[in-house]
Amino acid sequence: MRNLDAPRPRLPALTSLRFFAALHVVFFHFLAFKIASSEGWLGQISSIGYVGVSFFFVLSGFILVYTYAGRDTGPAISGVLASLAFIRPSHSPYYSPARFSFLLH
């Protein structure tokens, strides 16, 4: 049986993919704010910068689960969950109109 307390190997290839996903989002913002032109292949790739955001978050979630799965995280995770439980209900009235207006467009 594997020792779950031992650190897992690092994933440098996936970390570098996170860098390129973030760079993709930066190029998207350059295009959105008209800092760069939308001509050529860079403009075509940069026009779908939202894909970089999704890829970055999915990959980051995978790396977090890979790193901490099966470990006793102790009070750190329970503190984060307690904070989310406290913050979420207080902001719900603000999120609901935003969700509804998004559906109308």
Side-chain angles (χ1 to χ4, degrees), residues 20-29 31 42-56:
F20 287 112
L23 189 64
H24 188 217
V25 175
V26 168
F27 286 145
F28 173 76
H29 284 98
L31 184 67
L42 186 60
Q44 291 175 347
I45 292 173
S46 298
S47 67
I48 56 168
Y50 54 88
V51 174
V53 173
S54 299
F55 182 67
F56 180 85

Side-chain angles (χ1 to χ4, degrees), residues 6-91:
R8 290 191 177 184
R10 291 187 162 252
L11 303 170
L14 294 182
T15 303
S16 64
L17 284 177
R18 288 177 52 209
F19 167 76
F20 287 112
L23 189 64
H24 188 217
V25 175
V26 168
F27 286 145
F28 173 76
H29 284 98
F30 282 166
L31 184 67
F33 291 118
K34 309 264 191 261
I35 297 172
S37 67
S38 61
E39 297 176 11
W41 64 271
L42 186 60
Q44 291 175 347
I45 292 173
S46 298
S47 67
I48 56 168
Y50 54 88
V51 174
V53 173
S54 299
F55 182 67
F56 180 85
F57 281 122
V58 168
L59 193 55
S60 296
F62 171 78
I63 291 173
L64 284 172
V65 169
Y66 173 80
T67 303
Y68 295 108
R71 289 187 178 183
D72 180 27
T73 55
I77 293 296
S78 61
V80 170
L81 292 177
S83 299
L84 289 176
F86 176 75
I87 293 170
R88 175 70 177 141
S90 65
H91 286 82

